[in-house]
Amino acid sequence: MKLATRPLLTQSVTTAVLFAAGDVLSQHAVEKVEKHDYARTGRMALYGGAIFGPAATTWFKFLQNRITLPNKNAEILARVGLDQGLFAGANLFCFLTSMSIMEGSDPKKKLDEAYWTALKKNWMLWPFVQVANFKFVPLDYRVLVVNVISLGWNCYLSYINSQSGSSEKGRIIEEIEEKIE
């Protein structure tokens, strides 16, 4: 099995495919575009495979090996706290900045428009996912679990990334977020 022999490569390829799938879902199921933006899907796949996949694989291994406590429930909470307090914000910053650079737009503007909104939405979903992930899922499969849940999350990220930059688009994002809440 490739996951056991080449976990970083396997997780990276899987992540690239699922990031691309999230973008395809965003474009066709949410935004209902008439013409698919292949460059946008490629940017999502590139970010997923080259940045998120390796980073998440390394991060989960770090948490598994370095965050060990006698009380297993406290250990899970510590891992989730670090994951959401450090990794989530840093990853979102990298995602929005990377997308902006690849699109040729202003990273600061994109961060100002989308960062806090997306991070707050992140905190509504991912702590609960990660508690279950750290408690029940073996290390080698944690990125895969995140990737499967991320189909919807990446659809959201792709959407907010594509929509930031105009006041009309900002209004639409706010309407969608109100419906989510």
Side-chain angles (χ1 to χ4, degrees), residues 2-3 5-16 49 53-54 57:
K2 288 288 182 198
L3 183 57
T5 59
R6 308 222 19 197
L8 190 61
L9 177 63
T10 305
Q11 302 279 21
S12 295
V13 170
T14 303
T15 303
T57 302

Side-chain angles (χ1 to χ4, degrees), residues 124-163:
M124 292 170 67
L125 170 68
W126 288 106
F128 305 103
V129 171
Q130 293 296 55
V131 164
N133 201 15
F134 292 136
K135 185 164 183 77
F136 301 114
V137 179
L139 175 62
D140 287 344
Y141 297 98
R142 289 183 186 153
V143 173
L144 181 60
V145 168
V146 167
N147 284 338
V148 170
I149 302 297
S150 285
L151 273 172
W153 178 249
N154 292 339
C155 181
Y156 171 73
L157 283 181
S158 181
Y159 180 75
I160 65 159
N161 179 67
S162 72
Q163 299 302 305

Side-chain angles (χ1 to χ4, degrees), residues 33-94:
V33 299
E34 290 184 25
K35 185 175 182 204
H36 187 82
D37 182 348
Y38 290 99
R40 176 176 142 181
T41 302
R43 289 189 296 269
M44 287 293 288
L46 179 62
Y47 180 84
I51 297 173
F52 186 79
T57 302
T58 304
W59 175 247
F60 288 151
K61 187 175 180 180
F62 167 82
L63 289 176
Q64 179 77 21
N65 294 333
R66 301 289 187 191
I67 309 303
T68 56
L69 300 172
N71 180 314
K72 291 302 167 191
N73 288 329
E75 180 179 280
I76 290 166
L77 291 177
R79 289 177 181 171
V80 171
L82 286 170
D83 184 64
Q84 292 303 298
L86 296 175
F87 188 75
N91 176 60
L92 183 59
F93 177 88
C94 289

